[in-house]
Amino acid sequence: MASFKNTFIKQYPRFKEVTADNLYWKLEPAIIKREYGAISFIDFSHSEPYNFAVTNYTRLHIYNSQTNQIVKTFSRFKQNTYSGCFRSDGNLLVVGGDEGIVRLLGVEKDFRLRTFKGHTAPVHVSRFTADNVRVFSGSDDLTLRLWDVPTETCITTFQEHKDVIRCGANPAASPDIILSGGYDHLIKMFDTRLQESVLTVDHGYPVESVLMFPSVGLFFSAGGNCIKVWDALAGGKLLKTISHHHKSITSLGFCSNYKRLLSGSLDRHVKMYDTVSYQVVNTFDYPGPILSVAVSPDDSVIVAGTTDGLLSIQHRKKETDATTTEREKQGNKSSYRYRINTGKYVASEKDDLVIANPRKKFLPKWDKQLKAFKHSFALDSVLDIRVRMKHPEITVSVMQELIRRNVIKSALLGRNERQLLVLLKFISVNIRNINFMSTLVDVTNIILDLYSTTFQKTSNCSASLLKFHRLINNELKYLKTCSETLGMIDLIFAAAELNTTRKENGSGILH
């Protein structure tokens, strides 16, 4: 007796190229934490175990990057906090806030080690300089201040911005260079040994984030829906404008040892770029608008914070170890033998004779019903919401099999109003897919032949059919517009080719 063959489910291309970055950044399912307010800043410690600080509302949490649990909380703030940032050794934190005060916090022991007072408005930027003995801060009072940590005094104040300062950066190679960006659209580079800026460039939008390579050569600015790349050594020359987001970019960061650039946006996407070609190499989707994003120094964890207080923590899947044992490589293929004297199963040995016992193949529900010639039930099983919503290709493949067997009409007979509405909804959603169009058009014609009188009597079915009719008319209009556009493009190409031919032959230019 011939065995029943499973219904062939055609897999359609997803049009997503598999690259080395896609394979490297395979992430485990996200761990979602609910914070008290919008997560304005995330910063990783550069010392193991690479804990990260999350700034939100009136709190500053420190999370363990391995356990994903809070290990320390700073909550003695009267107003909102911003920009909680680690020192390079991971022992100290600096944080600003709506109180206009910059605080130096001890990660291990003491709570407040230093307090820097002098700003008259909220402080949105606070960072350590590369020498770890100074702190700079940017405020809504339009000033950028440099503080001495041991004496708690302000060393220098820069007052060149014309609007609030929202971001800043300091390169690892030079503790005297500070980069700041503001809502006046300007990015300014300051040398702390001088009393004024040494470089100013105009981003064209309110600047939300700036980032600089350690060597001070190139820096990035983000604002609006674009990122701009500037060459500081060439006097602030604009090298590249990157526009892959469709809403404001709020956060920038490096990963993979400065070979990749990250950008988070209010469009709920985080994009990763190659820092040589500036092409997008990966995209991550999130459940809310992104305010902050960061990656651990060893690329093992990526963390993103949203405007509604959701914190997403994702670990990169570990690569397979070369020393994996033979048992792990074989997986479930290991054989077992039964030891009579103990009554236990033990692993087979090298000299044992292994008799293969192939597992029975289980048919999916629709194939069981097709095997039993229950064609109507097979169609019902693939119209289940769990199948048709997640895997429409399975529903269409079963419809194709019913058409091949010439039983599609009998499978569609005897349907009530609810079942007809489900069919029409599925067809309306998927008929514009070029891979499904031909099959769904045939099924639609059969439904109209069988249930034309039913549609006239039932108001819900009539409304659904009218909606479907409008959808088809709109689709035809789009196809007509596309055809006309293609015709015009072909005409332009033909005229350009003729013009080129005449130039080559010396016959003049076609006007």
Side-chain angles (χ1 to χ4, degrees):
M1 182 179 177
S3 60
F4 178 81
K5 292 184 179 180
N6 291 31
T7 303
F8 175 69
I9 308 298
K10 187 174 181 180
Q11 300 296 325
Y12 298 98
R14 298 291 184 181
F15 303 106
K16 184 176 181 180
E17 184 181 0
V18 178
T19 64
D21 282 276
N22 297 141
L23 297 175
Y24 181 78
W25 288 100
K26 280 189 174 181
L27 302 176
E28 296 178 358
I31 297 168
I32 303 297
K33 303 281 187 178
R34 169 71 71 175
E35 291 290 352
Y36 294 92
I39 299 170
S40 60
F41 195 73
I42 299 169
D43 186 53
F44 273 91
S45 170
H46 286 270
S47 59
E48 294 185 358
Y50 305 122
N51 293 341
F52 56 93
V54 177
T55 311
N56 70 99
Y57 190 46
T58 59
R59 287 171 171 79
L60 177 61
H61 293 309
I62 299 178
Y63 281 83
N64 186 299
S65 62
Q66 297 176 351
T67 64
N68 308 314
Q69 299 300 317
I70 297 174
V71 295
K72 190 153 190 175
T73 298
F74 302 100
S75 58
R76 300 177 186 175
F77 303 102
K78 296 178 182 179
Q79 298 183 44
N80 289 344
T81 56
Y82 306 109
S83 190
C85 186
F86 280 103
R87 197 170 70 173
S88 60
D89 58 8
N91 293 327
L92 297 178
L93 279 164
V94 63
V95 61
D98 281 342
E99 299 174 66
I101 299 172
V102 182
R103 291 184 172 89
L104 188 69
L105 310 176
V107 174
E108 296 296 333
K109 297 180 181 179
D110 297 331
F111 174 56
R112 296 181 184 178
L113 300 179
R114 296 286 187 275
T115 301
F116 307 104
K117 297 181 179 179
H119 286 294
T120 58
V123 176
H124 284 268
V125 186
S126 57
R127 302 281 192 282
F128 286 96
T129 57
D131 57 13
N132 287 335
V133 297
R134 292 177 295 174
V135 167
F136 71 89
S137 59
S139 170
D140 288 0
D141 62 9
L142 315 187
T143 65
L144 183 75
R145 295 174 183 265
L146 182 68
W147 309 87
D148 181 58
V149 171
T151 62
E152 296 186 49
T153 58
C154 179
I155 303 172
T156 308
T157 301
F158 299 100
Q159 297 180 332
E160 295 190 23
H161 279 283
K162 299 177 182 178
D163 207 336
V164 297
I165 301 171
R166 286 301 169 94
C167 51
N170 176 244
S174 177
D176 295 312
I177 297 298
I178 298 175
L179 199 67
S180 67
Y183 277 11
D184 55 1
H185 302 187
L186 301 179
I187 302 102
K188 290 183 175 288
M189 182 180 290
F190 298 95
D191 189 331
T192 59
R193 295 162 294 189
L194 305 175
Q195 296 299 316
E196 59 184 6
S197 61
V198 295
L199 179 65
T200 300
V201 295
D202 190 339
H203 180 80
Y205 298 94
V207 182
E208 299 285 354
S209 184
V210 291
L211 199 63
M212 181 177 283
F213 277 109
S215 60
V216 196
L218 301 180
F219 64 90
F220 303 87
S221 61
N225 65 339
C226 69
I227 303 170
K228 294 190 177 182
V229 189
W230 309 88
D231 187 348
L233 301 180
K237 180 182 178 182
L238 178 62
L239 300 180
K240 185 80 174 179
T241 299
I242 309 169
S243 299
H244 291 283
H245 290 282
H246 61 270
K247 287 188 179 181
S248 293
I249 300 169
T250 55
S251 180
L252 294 177
F254 284 122
C255 61
S256 300
N257 197 23
Y258 302 100
K259 294 178 182 178
R260 295 291 182 265
L261 172 71
L262 283 175
S263 66
S265 168
L266 296 179
D267 62 6
R268 303 190 304 172
H269 296 301
V270 170
K271 294 187 181 293
M272 185 179 291
Y273 309 86
D274 186 329
T275 53
V276 176
S277 64
Y278 301 113
Q279 298 298 315
V280 176
V281 296
N282 220 330
T283 301
F284 308 100
D285 301 329
Y286 290 91
I290 302 296
L291 270 187
S292 53
V293 63
V295 177
S296 62
D298 61 350
D299 287 350
S300 62
V301 186
I302 178 171
V303 183
T306 67
T307 56
D308 52 2
L310 293 179
L311 182 71
S312 171
I313 307 171
Q314 285 181 283
H315 292 258
R316 189 170 61 85
K317 291 182 179 179
K318 295 181 180 178
E319 298 176 2
T320 305
D321 192 354
T323 61
T324 306
T325 62
E326 196 67 28
R327 172 66 57 80
E328 290 173 337
K329 291 180 181 179
Q330 291 178 354
N332 294 327
K333 296 181 180 179
S334 299
S335 300
Y336 293 85
R337 61 178 181 173
Y338 186 75
R339 184 171 292 175
I340 297 176
N341 57 346
T342 62
K344 296 180 180 179
Y345 285 94
V346 296
S348 60
E349 296 179 355
K350 184 177 180 181
D351 298 329
D352 287 343
L353 177 64
V354 179
I355 300 174
N357 184 21
R359 295 182 179 181
K360 182 180 178 181
K361 293 183 179 179
F362 291 95
L363 296 175
K365 188 176 181 180
W366 51 88
D367 277 338
K368 288 180 181 178
Q369 290 156 345
L370 286 173
K371 186 178 180 179
F373 302 103
K374 297 179 180 179
H375 304 125
S376 181
F377 290 105
L379 184 58
D380 289 339
S381 64
V382 294
L383 285 172
D384 184 88
I385 189 169
R386 291 167 294 184
V387 179
R388 60 183 166 88
M389 293 298 289
K390 293 184 178 180
H391 304 286
E393 67 277 3
I394 295 178
T395 306
V396 175
S397 296
V398 170
M399 286 180 174
Q400 290 172 345
E401 176 65 17
L402 294 173
I403 291 172
R404 188 188 68 81
R405 295 186 180 196
N406 199 25
V407 293
I408 183 66
K409 186 174 288 189
S410 61
L412 289 169
L413 278 171
R415 307 229 155 226
N416 56 33
E417 180 184 351
R418 184 186 63 81
Q419 292 172 323
L420 286 175
L421 289 174
V422 169
L423 269 169
L424 287 175
K425 184 177 180 180
F426 174 78
I427 294 171
S428 300
V429 170
N430 294 282
I431 198 167
R432 287 174 289 188
N433 189 326
I434 190 66
N435 299 310
F436 304 152
M437 185 180 293
S438 177
T439 302
L440 294 181
V441 166
D442 292 339
V443 172
T444 303
N445 288 330
I446 295 172
I447 292 173
L448 293 175
D449 290 340
L450 293 174
Y451 297 100
S452 57
T453 56
T454 304
F455 287 136
Q456 295 174 1
K457 296 177 181 178
T458 310
S459 58
N460 290 336
C461 289
S462 298
S464 182
L465 189 62
L466 288 173
K467 185 177 179 181
F468 179 71
H469 184 261
R470 289 194 294 270
L471 174 70
I472 296 299
N473 283 338
N474 290 335
E475 196 68 19
L476 291 174
K477 289 179 182 178
Y478 295 147
L479 290 174
K480 182 180 178 182
T481 304
C482 289
S483 298
E484 292 173 352
T485 305
L486 285 173
M488 290 186 284
I489 292 174
D490 288 340
L491 182 62
I492 293 171
F493 283 158
E497 186 177 354
L498 180 60
N499 209 358
T500 304
T501 304
R502 290 196 175 193
K503 281 185 179 181
E504 292 175 352
N505 296 335
S507 301
I509 301 175
L510 179 66
H511 293 286

